[in-house]
Amino acid sequence: MPHALFNEPAETVARTLIGAELEVDGVGGVIVETEAYDISDPASHSFGGPTRRNAAMFGATGCAYVYRIYGLHWCFNVVCDAGQPGSAVLVRALEPRTGLERMHERRGLLPTASLCSGPGKLCEALGIDGSLNGRPLDQAPFALRLHAQPPELVQGVRIGITKGAETPWRFGLKGSRFLSRPFPAMAATA
DNA sequence: GTTCCGATGTACT
DNA sequence: GTACATCGGAACG
């Protein structure tokens, strides 16, 4: 994986990752929804500077930042930088493509569209947990392949936050049925 | 379709 | 003590 790809602002990486294929131990699919966070952003974990939890956000570019949310779910981020430590992209949803049986074992016999349609669901389906925090995405168990052609994007405000709620740093694959939630009908094409 | 709730780790007042 | 980048299930319409 080209390291330079992640040496960009979080918003750029968030756009670039839509349409990329992510696998963990051969289980995964196409990323269809992301959100950008950076250190200037009050919604970001990195906003107040490094802590034990967010250390990976200030670590090497192109690594995973995995954290626990609400005490029970995991969320998966890609650490980026561009000279501004504390930047990352939350992967919120993907379209399942490989390892569907493993996903069903972990998540139950759900419709395919419900397996990875949210940050916590995606982590459960792919088997992502805190043990992968800080691990490089260009090495096993991770595999990440970029899209050949840039897909059409939609853009909107991020989900589940109160601070920085107006910042339109949520991106989706246009027309995807695998999003965590729909983008508003008037969502701008990014 | 909607709202409400409980599960509970980590950061913070 | 409160807030939080969530989810699934219950209750309701």
Side-chain angles (χ1 to χ4, degrees):
Chain A
M1 201 51 42
H3 206 248
L5 169 67
F6 302 112
N7 193 21
E8 295 286 342
E11 183 187 353
T12 303
V13 176
R15 293 170 181 271
T16 304
L17 284 175
I18 299 295
E21 186 151 349
L22 171 70
E23 289 178 4
V24 180
D25 242 345
V27 179
V30 175
I31 295 173
V32 297
E33 184 180 339
T34 59
E35 287 179 359
Y37 292 87
D38 75 22
I39 195 167
S40 69
D41 166 16
S44 174
H45 288 175
S46 60
F47 184 63
T51 64
R52 172 131 94 264
R53 175 177 64 165
N54 70 18
M57 282 187 86
F58 294 91
T61 300
C63 289
Y65 167 45
V66 182
Y67 68 91
R68 225 190 238 290
I69 179 105
Y70 295 106
L72 38 148
H73 305 293
W74 297 100
C75 286
F76 169 77
N77 293 251
V78 176
V79 176
C80 41
D81 195 318
Q84 188 185 220
S87 304
V89 173
L90 172 68
V91 179
R92 289 191 53 90
L94 61 77
E95 173 178 342
R97 285 280 179 87
T98 62
L100 276 281
E101 290 174 16
R102 293 280 276 142
M103 293 191 195
H104 283 128
E105 286 169 17
R106 291 164 173 155
R107 296 261 309 128
L109 290 174
L110 298 167
T112 307
S114 304
L115 285 174
C116 300
S117 55
K121 300 177 184 180
L122 175 161
C123 283
E124 185 176 32
L126 302 208
I128 295 172
D129 64 20
S131 70
L132 296 178
N133 186 38
R135 298 272 287 273
L137 297 176
D138 59 355
Q139 293 175 30
F142 291 112
L144 187 55
R145 290 185 297 282
L146 270 197
H147 50 71
Q149 301 282 327
E152 274 198 274
L153 306 187
V154 287
Q155 180 172 8
V157 296
R158 296 171 295 180
I159 291 178
I161 57 172
T162 53
K163 289 167 283 195
E166 341 70 42
T167 307
W169 275 3
R170 177 183 179 221
F171 300 93
L173 179 64
K174 188 175 184 178
S176 175
R177 315 161 18 228
F178 300 92
L179 302 170
S180 67
R181 288 169 34 182
F183 282 72
M186 300 312 261
T189 297

